[in-house]
Amino acid sequence: MAEPAARLYLVTPVLTDAAFAPHLAEACASGSVAAVLLRLGSADERTLINHVKALGPSVQDHGAALIVAVEGEADLATIAARGGADGVHLQGNPASARELRERLKADRAVGAGGIRTKDEAMTLGEAGVDYLLFGEPRPDGSVPALDTVVERAAWWAEIFETPCVAYAPDLAAIPALVATRAEFIALGDAVWSHEGGPVKAVAAAVEAIGDEEEAG
């Protein structure tokens, strides 16, 4: 059987406790999710580490990688290492990306989002990140136009070897993003707010990716 055209990368809401664990477990239970970006609200380091430890098994026990991002200032390398996460995610800062790459070596993944320009994307790629995320929600909750995300992801996937993640604001956007040849399709509210729950949302996403692969 051919490898899927893309794999799923889920993005959580900003979390301030471990109450979201059952939703994570539901979404990841099928084994179809490659990674989860765990977005944590601002807190002290010990609290953040404890959140990662509490939420991590719901993701990692189902074979998905746990990637951590924190709102505001935080020592991501320490939080990931002590919490047992598989990687970290930062917002468009090449200097920070280089520092994290140096500190984490090859032990954990380093990803980047919040990318505004093609030049910034290339600079982050040169900084040694393991993937770039295009199109994720802005701090105010809005998302870039789908056409813009499609163009950016297609440009990156065609030219560069570093994998990219393309954010789908809804399930209907998946086919257009899969067609860019992005390695991962990211989903957020489209999974967590799905009327059928996370399990049905993930199943629908996998089906959409498979349909696009067959069409291609």
Side-chain angles (χ1 to χ4, degrees):
M1 182 178 293
E3 288 294 316
R7 297 199 65 197
L8 288 178
Y9 176 112
L10 302 186
V11 180
T12 74
V14 176
L15 306 177
T16 56
D17 55 40
F20 204 70
H23 301 293
L24 288 171
E26 281 185 59
C28 297
S30 69
S32 301
V33 177
V36 173
L37 176 58
L38 182 64
R39 299 170 63 210
L40 297 176
S42 181
D44 64 87
E45 190 170 283
R46 177 174 292 184
T47 297
L48 292 169
I49 291 169
N50 287 339
H51 287 342
V52 175
K53 287 181 176 179
L55 291 161
S58 299
V59 174
Q60 294 164 317
D61 286 356
H62 298 290
L66 181 71
I67 311 297
V68 176
V70 177
E71 301 285 296
E73 295 296 319
D75 184 349
L76 282 174
T78 296
I79 292 163
R82 295 185 179 174
D86 301 293
V88 300
H89 182 91
L90 72 159
Q91 294 296 300
N93 186 326
S96 294
R98 282 189 289 271
E99 178 190 355
L100 285 167
R101 177 80 289 155
E102 176 63 27
R103 291 179 63 192
L104 294 171
K105 308 298 182 186
D107 297 333
R108 289 178 169 81
V110 177
I115 302 161
R116 294 167 294 183
T117 67
K118 289 183 176 180
D119 282 344
E120 191 169 78
M122 289 187 286
T123 303
L124 284 163
E126 292 165 358
V129 298
D130 294 289
Y131 70 83
L132 296 181
L133 171 58
F134 296 112
E136 77 273 26
R138 304 181 181 101
D140 65 1
S142 65
V143 294
L146 180 61
D147 288 348
T148 301
V149 180
V150 166
E151 186 276 332
R152 190 62 54 85
W155 161 76
W156 184 267
E158 180 179 1
I159 299 173
F160 302 98
E161 293 185 4
T162 301
C164 74
V165 185
Y167 185 89
D170 51 48
L171 295 175
I174 290 176
L177 294 171
V178 171
T180 69
R181 311 311 297 175
E183 287 83 357
F184 299 91
I185 301 299
L187 291 167
D189 285 346
V191 168
W192 314 121
S193 300
H194 192 279
E195 61 182 10
V199 174
K200 289 190 176 180
V202 167
V206 171
E207 183 177 3
I209 290 172
D211 288 346
E212 178 59 25
E213 180 190 22
E214 293 166 11

